[in-house]
Amino acid sequence: MENSIKVAAVHRYVEAFEKADIDIIKDIYAADAVVEDPVGKDTYTGIDAICTFYEPALSSGAKLELTGSPRCAGNTVAFPFKAEVQGMTIEIIDVFEFNSEGKVVTMRAYWGEDNIT
């Protein structure tokens, strides 16, 4: 898979928060995708569960800002960003894994209490 497809998905993800648009989330994820946010906590499997997970963040006005360039390797992309949500800033690194159709099949978010200000 071309890196440009993976990087475009990262930018669409940020755009979903900018526009509070759940349809963008539905577009980038595969129907059977799994989200783990943060790693080590609950997972959300399938597009309905994933949308239920994202809807509160989108409706709260959360915004994302990339803090470095995406890094592509194999069928994955990792990217650092900060999330501004309800007066908090969370420094996060997400890793997307893609299927052959260019849809995200797993998303793992790496952050913890030390990353919240």
Side-chain angles (χ1 to χ4, degrees):
M1 169 179 306
E2 292 184 31
N3 288 345
S4 62
I5 294 170
K6 294 178 275 192
V7 171
V10 169
H11 290 287
R12 292 278 291 153
Y13 186 68
V14 172
E15 179 186 1
F17 283 84
E18 184 62 35
K19 295 180 175 178
D21 189 343
I22 196 70
D23 289 331
I24 295 173
I25 297 296
K26 290 176 184 176
D27 184 54
I28 65 173
Y29 280 98
D32 60 349
V34 177
V35 166
E36 185 178 8
D37 186 353
V39 169
K41 298 289 184 184
D42 294 335
T43 59
Y44 306 89
T45 302
I47 197 65
D48 291 339
I50 290 169
C51 288
T52 298
F53 168 72
Y54 279 109
E55 283 169 345
L58 293 174
S59 65
S60 76
K63 300 296 181 208
L64 309 184
E65 179 185 337
L66 292 176
T67 57
S69 59
R71 277 76 162 189
C72 298
N75 66 337
T76 65
V77 62
F79 55 101
F81 65 97
K82 65 181 178 180
E84 301 281 343
V85 57
Q86 298 177 349
M88 294 183 300
T89 300
I90 309 170
E91 298 283 339
I92 306 167
I93 297 173
D94 275 3
V95 177
F96 287 171
E97 180 182 354
F98 295 85
N99 63 19
S100 60
E101 287 80 42
K103 299 289 186 179
V104 176
V105 291
T106 60
M107 186 283 268
R108 301 184 84 205
Y110 294 85
W111 63 277
E113 299 229 357
D114 293 345
N115 307 111
I116 302 172
T117 54

